[in-house]
Amino acid sequence: MGSLAALMRAIDGLNQTVGKTVAWLAVIMVVTQFSVVVMRYVFGIGSIMMQESVVYMHSFLFMVGAGYTLLHNGHVRVDVFYREASIRNKAIIDLFGVVFLLLPVCLLIFTSSWDYVIDSWAIFEGSKETSGIHALFILKSIILVFCVLLALQGIAMALRSFLILKGALVPEEDHEVHEVP
C-alpha cells in the first residue's frame, strides 16, 4: 500500500508543480494582450506574433493545467448525489468515474490525436501568417500532453479512492488524505 500511496503523491506533486508553473501564463497572457491593444489602438502597430502568442498561452494554460484542476477538484461535476455521499461512496464514484469514463476518454483523445500531431511535426507546421509563430506543431502537441497529465491525475485519483476503500488513507476536510499509521 505504501508504494501505491507514494505513486499517488508523486503524480499529485507533478501536477501541482506543472499547474503552479503554467498559472504564470495567465499573468503573461494579460500583459501581452494589453500590450497588443495599446500597440494597435494607441500607436497603430500590429503584431500577429503577439496576437498568436495569446492563443498559445491560453491553450497551454488550460490544456496543461487540466491535471492540476482535477487534483484540486476544480472540474465541473454533477453534484446531485456526490455532495451528500459518504466518504466511502465518494471513493467508489471517483474510482468508477476514472476507470470507466476519464481514462477511456483520455485514451481515445490521445490515440485519435496521435497522427494529427505526428503529421504536424513531420512538416514542422507553422502559422498561416508570414509573421506568425511558426510552431503550430508544438501547440498541437499540447493535446497529447493534456491527455497524459489528465490520465496520470486520474490514476492518482483512482489510487486515492482505492486506498480510502481499503482503509489505508483517511481524507480530511481540506480534501487532503493522510496515510493511516
Side-chain angles (χ1 to χ4, degrees):
M1 295 289 177
S3 60
L4 293 179
L7 176 60
M8 177 195 71
R9 281 192 301 274
I11 294 169
D12 287 349
L14 170 68
N15 272 313
Q16 181 73 20
T17 301
V18 168
K20 286 188 173 208
T21 303
V22 298
W24 284 101
L25 286 176
V27 175
I28 298 167
M29 190 170 55
V30 168
V31 170
T32 304
Q33 186 62 54
F34 178 77
S35 301
V36 167
V37 170
V38 169
M39 287 172 50
R40 175 104 175 147
Y41 293 106
V42 174
F43 300 110
I45 301 168
S47 173
I48 293 172
M49 187 175 287
M50 284 180 70
Q51 289 174 341
E52 285 185 0
S53 75
V54 172
V55 173
Y56 277 61
M57 287 185 275
H58 191 261
S59 300
F60 274 72
L61 179 64
F62 286 97
M63 299 289 281
V64 177
Y68 174 84
T69 305
L70 183 60
L71 170 64
H72 292 284
N73 266 332
H75 288 282
V76 176
R77 151 188 329 245
V78 178
D79 227 2
V80 177
F81 305 108
Y82 192 86
R83 179 180 38 205
E84 300 300 322
S86 68
I87 291 169
R88 180 172 174 74
N89 285 343
K90 284 181 182 180
I92 292 169
I93 292 167
D94 287 343
L95 186 59
F96 177 85
V98 168
V99 171
F100 294 106
L101 300 171
L102 179 66
L103 291 179
V105 167
C106 287
L107 182 64
L108 176 67
I109 294 170
F110 188 92
T111 56
S112 62
S113 300
W114 180 260
D115 288 339
Y116 176 71
V117 173
I118 294 301
D119 291 346
S120 185
W121 272 87
I123 61 171
F124 292 110
E125 187 177 8
S127 176
K128 293 181 192 305
E129 301 294 330
T130 310
S131 61
I133 299 174
H134 296 290
L136 193 57
F137 58 97
I138 293 173
L139 184 62
K140 289 182 177 183
S141 299
I142 294 305
I143 299 168
L144 301 179
V145 173
F146 160 79
C147 292
V148 169
L149 290 174
L150 195 61
L152 281 173
Q153 193 56 50
I155 291 168
M157 190 176 181
L159 289 173
R160 182 175 293 106
S161 297
F162 175 75
L163 292 171
I164 288 170
L165 291 171
K166 288 292 185 187
L169 289 179
V170 178
E172 294 185 1
E173 301 242 351
D174 61 357
H175 301 292
E176 294 294 321
V177 290
H178 303 283
E179 286 188 64
V180 175

